[in-house]
Amino acid sequence: MTLQTETTTTVPTAAPAAVASTAAGSAASRDGDAYTALLERVRYEGAYPTRERAERTVRDVLAALGRQLVGDERVELAARLPFEAALVLTAQIPATTPLTGWEFVKDLARRTGGSPATTRWDVGAVLAPLSRLAGPDLTDRIIGQLPSGYALLFGKADLHPAR
């Protein structure tokens, strides 16, 4: 009878940490790419001369939208946005009294110092690409949650009578 013993070899475990770090880095890179793509889409939609102008517009509109959205729609939209955009949306405390679409535009114009016409343009330049990221079902639920006047801001026909 022969007795066999099992030998174990210790292998340094730096590889899993490196893999995790690389995975996190590539996820951050992908998210950064998604944010850059969103900014470029908004820059195109709004005909803005620079990415910085598009980014300022995205931040302003997302902050304003974050003050209007609540509940599951807010959480789902944030989950579909690039990380940087989701942070801006969710950093806002929802308003106690929701604004109609026109009031939303006027409030944002007052906060940013823009004219209502320019602000309306900015809102559409951001919300139309945002609705593509959200998808049609979530966009419809968001519009259904908000007071009248938001469908047009999202680039959709407003087929519901004013509440």
Side-chain angles (χ1 to χ4, degrees):
M1 179 189 264
T2 309
L3 184 63
Q4 294 181 341
T5 60
E6 184 177 320
T7 59
T8 59
T9 309
T10 306
V11 177
T13 59
V19 169
S21 173
T22 302
S26 66
S29 174
R30 280 191 310 273
D31 196 63
D33 292 345
Y35 186 62
T36 300
L38 173 63
L39 295 179
E40 285 302 318
R41 187 71 209 170
V42 169
R43 182 178 176 194
Y44 175 79
E45 294 269 341
Y48 301 121
T50 64
R51 184 181 298 167
E52 291 75 23
R53 173 68 172 92
E55 183 169 22
R56 186 172 60 245
T57 302
V58 166
R59 289 182 176 282
D60 290 343
V61 173
L62 283 177
L65 186 61
R67 290 188 291 274
Q68 299 302 308
L69 280 181
V70 296
D72 292 342
E73 289 78 15
R74 177 184 173 107
V75 173
E76 282 187 53
L77 179 59
R80 295 181 190 192
L81 294 176
F83 181 74
E84 296 91 334
L87 280 179
V88 174
L89 179 81
T90 59
Q92 306 306 309
I93 297 171
T96 55
T97 305
L99 302 173
T100 66
W102 178 236
E103 291 168 337
F104 175 84
V105 170
K106 290 191 307 185
D107 180 64
L108 185 56
R110 183 183 53 77
R111 289 174 186 265
T112 60
S115 72
T118 302
T119 303
R120 168 59 183 96
W121 178 269
D122 292 344
V123 168
V126 174
L127 294 186
L130 204 71
S131 71
R132 287 191 286 280
L133 282 174
D137 294 338
L138 179 56
T139 300
D140 289 344
R141 288 186 9 238
I142 289 169
I143 292 168
Q145 179 195 106
L146 296 167
S148 66
Y150 282 87
L152 292 173
L153 299 177
F154 278 93
K156 299 186 73 145
D158 194 355
L159 303 175
H160 302 291
R163 293 185 223 171

